[in-house]
Amino acid sequence: MEKRKKTFKTESPEETQALGEQLGKTLKSGDVIALIGDLGTGKTCLTQGIARGVGIAPDEVVSSPSYILINEYNGTVPIYHIDLYRLENAEEIAELGLSEYIEGDGICIIEWAERMANGLPDICIKIYITWEDENTRFINIQHSVSR
Amino acid sequence: MKILGIDTSCDETAVAVVADGREVLSNIIASQVKTHQAYGGVVPELASRKHIEAINYIVKKALTAAAVTFSDIDAVAVTNRPGLIGALLVGVAAAKSLAYCHKLPLLGINHIEGHIYANFMVHDTLTFPHVCLTVSGGHTLLVEVHEGWKYKVLGGTQDDAAGEVYDKVAKYLGLGFPGGRIIDELAQKGNPSAIKFPRPMRNSGDYQFSFSGIKTSVRYFVEKARRTGVLVEGERTDVKRANLDVITIEDIAASFQAAVVDVLVYKSLHAAKATGARTITLTGGVAANSHLRASLKAAAAQSGAEVYYPPLSLCTDNGAMIAGIAYQKYQQGLRDGLSLNADANGSIAAESPTA
């Protein structure tokens, strides 16, 4: 099992977006990103940066999919922005049919990914965001091959 | 002319029958139907499978409630954009089947156009152009609406929708669901000036919104207040009276609501002034919020503008607004073939733009 870990510190939403953009530039079709972090830590903010990095049009809005569950954007590859906030249990998540997205050709970014722990593919990028104070975040990125 | 309208764009399986674009003969929403057992005992939510279980029953119920049969229906309309693709597909497949079986015209409708149209169904005096603020769990959108159902999108949220941030803050504060109504009620007992929460993008000079930051500020404030002991929760009326420096959940609710509503009202008014519209319409689930209604009305009155909002049954996701706008589109000549497909994105900006 291989695991690469790195932790970044950001001190503003703009810095979080910039980090996301850098990460986005390294992504390729089929990648799955699992975002894990409490309310207000900046998961959507980081996703905005990632989507820029993947090359979506400057005027395309990357907003929170909490209500609609899945937003789709056109980057150099399709981006599926998934949000499990409203889903409480494995059954509800299973009914959403995420495997079609995860096994597809796009890039999947999943907010509240810990809620589908067993449903995540073995190979994915896990990002843990923790809250230091109102503006400071620690962003731990793990490229993993695990169960 | 009677149109059957279907909406399955997100959580709700909703079907209605509307005559001539305005007269609501029935308006059925699955989650509000008491006899869930009739279609399997589950409240439909989120999943396509739940929509599939409900759709035929809700169609039948909408016809029965309207006291009509398919021989009385002149067209079938369905939300085919934007929304959750799996959910949209159920409504689209149902509408296509019904249109084919009963040899009826089929119309694919944009969900947001339905919301915008809702006010027109109940307010005879609504004129054009007007500015429409759509606020719900999934949307926060300012649109200029012109004669002939032409639209100019002025702006929308860059992150969380207004209704979403209400729900998230309510859940964070342990207040339960639905967050909008609970916070609205608590806020009436709190001090809206107790905490100065940020008004993100209020002075950005455009019509974009950002509510995610208010949510973060509430969380930061609450954590700090709990640490320092100024937040008084539970039975605390006497403490509150004895010590003016303490903060209650009601104060947080009122201050949070003041921040959200302030930005919504400021930008809506600004939009009305800039476009010369004399009327602002409010639609979507958050249009039921008492503070938003009152603040918008008061602010609009100062500049001689009027504010309209529909009854709750037409605010939240429903099939009547879809059947309503479909009537107008039918008059304009819209017909969709059986090749009609669902589109998860389908921005309102692409619908009959002005100029």
Side-chain angles (χ1 to χ4, degrees), chain B residues 50 88 109 131 183 186 268 307 316 330 342:
Chain B
K50 303 280 175 65
L88 286 168
I109 299 294
V131 165
I183 287 182
L186 281 176
S268 302
V307 176
T316 51
Y330 185 90

Side-chain angles (χ1 to χ4, degrees), chain B residues 204-221:
Chain B
S204 59
D206 57 19
Y207 304 108
Q208 310 296 358
F209 299 93
S210 167
F211 293 112
S212 180
I214 302 181
K215 172 187 76 191
T216 308
S217 292
V218 170
R219 185 181 159 189
Y220 184 68
F221 176 85

Side-chain angles (χ1 to χ4, degrees), chain A residues 50-64:
Chain A
I50 295 173
R52 295 278 162 253
V54 180
I56 65 161
D59 62 341
E60 192 159 7
V61 177
V62 175
S63 58
S64 167

Side-chain angles (χ1 to χ4, degrees), chain B residues 4 12 40 139 216 231 349 354:
Chain B
L4 181 83
E12 302 287 5
H139 306 281
T216 308
L231 179 62
T354 53

Side-chain angles (χ1 to χ4, degrees), chain B residues 46 130 139 147 157-158 224 257 268 278-280:
Chain B
L46 313 170
H130 59 262
H139 306 281
E147 187 89 53
T157 184
Q158 304 297 295
K224 205 169 144 193
Q257 173 148 289
S268 302
R278 307 304 303 153
T279 309
I280 300 169

